[in-house]
Amino acid sequence: MSASKAKRAQVAERRTKAIGMVLAGVDYDTIAERLGYASRGAAHTDVDRALSANLTNLKDKAQQLRELQAMRYQRLLAAVWPKALKGDLKAVETAARLVDRIVKLWGLAEPDKLDLDVTGQITAEDLLAIIRATPDGEDAELGAVGADA
């Protein structure tokens, strides 16, 4: 094993131990002392780098799996599409479900929109009037609070 490979193996082993210690609840001062880091900050930085690299790898793998699943859905959709176009209701339902899955897989659905007017101000009296206008708003205690206000 070359010196650089040996060094990388040592770094990887130390990072693995450091992450294990973090998961066990060991503080960074202790991790630095036990594993030979120059400081608490160096131990923290090394663990962050290792976790970030791992998350990047996981994101890449998730993207690859999404692409593979999309190809599967496309292949299934291609198989039922001709029957769906000829009016086969079961094929139409299957095609629609596959399209829905593709849309969800890629996050293509537009989120529901909610229009709010937040430019105005509301007073306590306005709020009490709104509450009283609701079916449950005719509570005697609430009316007493409004009388005191």
Side-chain angles (χ1 to χ4, degrees), residues 3 9-10 14 16 24-25 30 42-44 51 72 76 79 87 93 97 104 106 109 111 113 119 125 138 146:
Q10 286 177 330
R14 181 166 80 163
T16 300
T30 304
H44 191 275
L51 292 176
R72 289 174 176 158
L76 291 171
E93 289 177 14
R97 283 196 310 270
K104 286 179 185 175
W106 293 116
K113 292 183 179 179
T119 57
E125 291 81 20
E138 297 182 359

Side-chain angles (χ1 to χ4, degrees), residues 22-35:
V22 168
L23 292 173
V26 178
D27 63 89
Y28 282 102
D29 288 321
T30 304
I31 293 170
E33 180 183 318
R34 288 187 186 166
L35 298 181

Side-chain angles (χ1 to χ4, degrees), residues 114-136:
L114 180 61
D115 291 326
L116 296 175
D117 177 16
V118 294
T119 57
Q121 292 187 9
I122 189 167
T123 65
E125 291 81 20
D126 294 335
L127 184 57
L128 284 171
I130 292 168
I131 293 171
R132 286 189 188 112
T134 62
D136 295 339

Side-chain angles (χ1 to χ4, degrees), residues 62-129:
Q63 181 62 25
Q64 289 172 349
L65 288 173
R66 259 187 231 95
E67 291 170 6
L68 175 63
Q69 191 60 43
M71 287 188 285
R72 289 174 176 158
Y73 286 149
Q74 291 292 346
R75 189 168 183 185
L76 291 171
L77 185 59
V80 299
W81 195 256
K83 290 180 184 177
L85 291 179
K86 289 180 181 176
D88 181 334
L89 293 180
K90 187 169 177 131
V92 169
E93 289 177 14
T94 301
R97 283 196 310 270
L98 286 166
V99 168
D100 283 344
R101 288 183 181 183
I102 292 167
V103 166
K104 286 179 185 175
L105 180 68
W106 293 116
L108 300 174
E110 187 172 321
D112 294 334
K113 292 183 179 179
L114 180 61
D115 291 326
L116 296 175
D117 177 16
V118 294
T119 57
Q121 292 187 9
I122 189 167
T123 65
E125 291 81 20
D126 294 335
L127 184 57
L128 284 171

